[in-house]
Amino acid sequence: MNEVNMEYIKSQSNTSRAIRTEILLTPFLVIMPIFIGILFIYDWYNRGYVEGNPDYFGTLILGIIIIIGNVFFDIPFIRSLRKLTKNQGRE
Amino acid sequence: MIIVIILEILRLKGFVSIDHFFGLRMYEKNRIGSYVFFALAILLLLSFFPQPIVIPCILCACLGDPLIGEIRYHFGIRYVYVMGFLICMIFFLISWYKADPFLMILVGIVGAFGAIIGEIKKIWWLDDDFMIQMIPAVLLALIWLAIPHLGFSYPGEIIYPALWNW
């Protein structure tokens, strides 16, 4: 697949609507996975750590992976959205 | 899923303008969108495969795929194979940590190999979001079927049904 095929389909109305929708969904996109990750860790703490049950170790690891993975992608995502809205404000 | 498929058919038939869809790439203009393949693969995984197979395959698609994309962008294609393989292997090893060590390593290698093949092999009509989930899932399903014949026991679940007491 060549470079042109990998480019996103763009039109003026499409792009501005896409950005608006992304801004609208940002709190959900950022908070939801982190919330799920915290729930996993909470589950490990309650049923694994407190009760001394090692079966829940996988839940802890999954929770950590979900949180780290999402934070890794959330930071550049929010940074680029902020940059974009700042640029639009200037125009 | 039915709504997604109907929407996609309407888009491809031209009844819904492409302006209402964003995030589509040029090659998806006249082809089923990758989000449909992603949803379909997750639906198939959750419906027909056991939990130790489903979890690493979804992790490969949700975290492995974008990480591989970033590696490709920042470091070039040469590093994609090795780094992608290691990232996917970690997901499989973690998900099978309750299994016998030999089985865990076998699953890690086979699963990561399947995921990398699914990610790297580009087919126009079949998206890599589908392949990265289904190729390792099918390969691991074969191992899953062979587990009792190999003399191993099935690994336990990683996520247990929640008992939220709040």
Side-chain angles (χ1 to χ4, degrees), chain B residues 61-160:
Chain B
C62 294
L63 294 175
D65 186 34
L67 278 172
I68 289 169
E70 288 297 312
I71 292 165
R72 186 182 286 145
Y73 179 75
H74 290 287
F75 303 105
I77 191 79
R78 277 183 304 164
Y79 295 91
V80 167
Y81 300 97
V82 179
M83 297 288 279
F85 184 86
L86 291 176
I87 290 165
C88 294
M89 194 174 173
I90 288 169
F91 294 146
F92 285 98
L93 292 177
I94 287 168
S95 304
W96 284 65
Y97 81 99
K98 286 180 184 171
D100 185 271
F102 173 76
L103 190 61
M104 187 174 83
I105 292 166
L106 177 72
V107 162
I109 292 169
V110 172
F113 179 72
I116 283 295
I117 293 291
E119 171 61 22
I120 286 169
K121 186 75 187 157
K122 303 285 182 196
I123 303 172
W124 181 80
W125 49 272
L126 197 56
D127 201 81
D128 60 345
D129 285 346
F130 183 84
M131 304 274 277
I132 198 171
Q133 294 180 78
M134 292 315 293
I135 291 180
V138 170
L139 292 174
L140 293 197
L142 295 175
I143 293 178
W144 187 268
L145 292 174
I147 283 176
H149 305 291
L150 294 170
F152 297 116
S153 54
Y154 287 109
E157 293 187 328
I158 310 162
I159 304 172
Y160 296 93

Side-chain angles (χ1 to χ4, degrees), chain A residues 53-73:
Chain A
N53 187 348
D55 281 352
Y56 287 86
F57 183 67
T59 314
L60 168 71
I61 299 293
L62 269 184
I64 292 170
I65 287 176
I66 291 170
I67 290 174
I68 292 175
N70 278 281
V71 167
F72 180 78
F73 287 108

Side-chain angles (χ1 to χ4, degrees), chain A residues 1 4-9 11 14 17-18 21 39 46-47 55-59 61-62 65 72-73, chain B residues 18-27 59 63 66-67 94 97-98 158-166:
Chain A
M1 229 170 278
V4 177
N5 275 334
M6 290 302 284
E7 281 179 14
Y8 290 104
I9 299 169
S11 74
N14 181 322
R17 238 185 303 169
T21 311
L39 272 188
N46 261 351
R47 296 200 283 173
D55 281 352
Y56 287 86
F57 183 67
T59 314
I61 299 293
L62 269 184
I65 287 176
F72 180 78
F73 287 108
Chain B
I18 204 158
D19 279 351
H20 295 293
F21 292 81
F22 33 79
L24 287 178
R25 291 181 191 270
M26 290 302 278
Y27 68 86
L59 282 176
L63 294 175
L67 278 172
I94 287 168
Y97 81 99
K98 286 180 184 171
I158 310 162
I159 304 172
Y160 296 93
L163 298 167
W164 308 120
N165 45 358
W166 43 19

